[in-house]
Amino acid sequence: MTAQGVAVRTDAAEFARVTDPFRRELLAYGYRMLGSLPDAEDVVQETYLRAWRGFDGFGGRSSVRTWLYRIATNACLRAIERAGRRPLPSALDGGADDVAWLGPVPDARVLPDGGDPATMVAVRSSVRLALVAALQYLPARQRAVLILRDVLAWSAAETADLLDTTVPAVNSALQRAHGQLASAGPREDDLAEPTEPVLRDRLERWMRAFEAADAGALVGLMRHDIVFEMPPKPQWYAGRDAVGRFLATTVLGRPGDWRAALTAANGRPAIATWLRGPDGRHHAHGIQLPTVTDGGVSHVVTFLDPGLFPAFGLEPRR
C-alpha cells in the first residue's frame, strides 16, 4: 500500500474520531429547524460531506462542534428557503395543496446515548411536537437564533459569530422569536400532565379501546376540547363529539382490525398502529402522538405514513 493511501486512511479515521460524536445532536438540531427527519438526515449528510471536503483546511480555527454547527446551520437555512415551513393541518387557514407536513422523530434517533438525566430531560423537551410545530412559524434565522440560544445555551456572541451578524441583532431576533412563540406556542406546555404511571395507564387503555373498536371507551378518555389530525390528510376534527363520531364511523371498523404498540417519538410515548388488510395480516398504518393531560387526551396527531416504521425500528406487518 502506498504511503499516500495510508495517509488517506489515517485522515479518514481522524475525521471520524473528532466529528462522529456530534452526529446525533446535529440530527436533533436539523429536526428542530426543519420539522422533518428525512430533511434533517439530508442536512447531516451534507454537513459531514462539506466538513470532510474542508477538513484539511479547518486547522482548528474554532471548536469542531462550532464548525459543524456553522455548516449545518447554513444547510438548514438553504433548506428552509427551498421548502418553507412545515405545518400541521390544524394550523392551516386555507387550502392544503402540495403541503410539506411536519413529521415526527423517533426518540432513539435524537436522545443522547447514555447522557445524564438533566440533559435527557432537556433534549426531550426541545423536540416536543408542539414546540417544533411552533418553531415553524418563525423566520429561518429567528428559528436558528432561538434554538442556539434557548435550547443549546450558546451565548449571544457565539451565536452572532456563527450567523455572521452582531450581538444586538441576535438579541433583537431572540426577543422577536419569543414574542412570536408566545402567540403560537405549544398548547401542551400550558396543560398539566399526569404522573408517569397514570400516563402509561391511559395510553394502554387508549390502545386497548382502539384494538377493540370501542369508540365509547375512547371518547371517555378524551378531553372535551380534543383535537384530532392525520397528516398528510388536511382534514382535522375538534371536540369530543366530532372526534368520537369520526372514529366510530370512519376509522375503527370491527374489533381486531387494529393492532397497536407503544413506541417513543418527540420526547414522549407514542403509539404505532397496524391495520388488517385483505390478506388477513396487519400492515403498518401510522404513528400516533397523543397528548395526555390530567383532564384526558387533549390532542392526537396521527402520522399516516407506513414509511416511518423502519426509522422507529418497527416491523411493517404483524
Side-chain angles (χ1 to χ4, degrees), residues 192-241:
E193 294 184 338
T195 61
E196 190 68 20
V198 173
L199 169 64
R200 292 284 173 171
D201 175 69
R202 289 182 179 171
L203 289 175
E204 291 286 351
R205 289 162 60 195
W206 181 273
M207 289 192 299
R208 289 197 299 269
F210 217 88
E211 291 179 331
D214 190 342
L218 289 169
V219 168
L221 291 168
M222 298 176 192
R223 274 176 55 117
H224 69 91
D225 57 351
I226 185 172
V227 171
F228 192 95
E229 48 193 324
M230 307 153 290
K233 292 183 180 296
Q235 299 89 354
W236 58 283
Y237 301 85
R240 184 186 291 148
D241 290 344

Side-chain angles (χ1 to χ4, degrees), residues 168-187:
V170 164
N171 290 336
S172 177
L174 184 61
Q175 185 176 13
R176 293 196 302 273
H178 285 161
Q180 183 79 353
L181 284 188
S183 60
R187 189 176 70 161

Side-chain angles (χ1 to χ4, degrees), residues 108-297:
R109 297 293 305 277
V110 294
L111 293 187
D113 201 6
D116 68 272
T119 301
M120 193 75 72
V121 168
V123 176
R124 285 185 189 277
S125 298
S126 72
V127 295
R128 292 287 294 273
L129 189 68
L131 175 60
V132 178
L135 288 172
Q136 296 295 301
Y137 286 90
L138 300 179
R141 289 177 70 84
Q142 280 187 31
R143 205 179 302 177
V145 166
L146 185 135
I147 295 169
L148 291 167
R149 295 283 285 117
D150 286 2
V151 176
L152 299 175
W154 288 40
S155 70
E158 290 170 329
T159 304
D161 181 64
L162 184 140
L163 293 172
D164 293 321
T165 187
T166 65
V167 168
V170 164
N171 290 336
S172 177
L174 184 61
Q175 185 176 13
R176 293 196 302 273
H178 285 161
Q180 183 79 353
L181 284 188
S183 60
R187 189 176 70 161
E188 285 96 322
D189 289 357
D190 299 327
L191 301 172
E193 294 184 338
T195 61
E196 190 68 20
V198 173
L199 169 64
R200 292 284 173 171
D201 175 69
R202 289 182 179 171
L203 289 175
E204 291 286 351
R205 289 162 60 195
W206 181 273
M207 289 192 299
R208 289 197 299 269
F210 217 88
E211 291 179 331
D214 190 342
L218 289 169
V219 168
L221 291 168
M222 298 176 192
R223 274 176 55 117
H224 69 91
D225 57 351
I226 185 172
V227 171
F228 192 95
E229 48 193 324
M230 307 153 290
K233 292 183 180 296
Q235 299 89 354
W236 58 283
Y237 301 85
R240 184 186 291 148
D241 290 344
V243 174
R245 186 165 51 249
F246 169 71
L247 291 176
T249 60
T250 308
V251 175
L252 293 178
R254 299 170 300 171
D257 279 351
W258 293 91
R259 288 187 178 174
L262 279 177
T263 183
N266 292 81
R268 305 298 298 156
I271 298 170
T273 60
W274 292 259
L275 177 61
R276 182 155 53 195
D279 60 357
R281 300 190 67 183
H282 290 78
H283 298 263
H285 187 265
I287 304 291
Q288 292 186 4
L289 272 65
T291 300
V292 182
T293 73
D294 281 337
V297 178

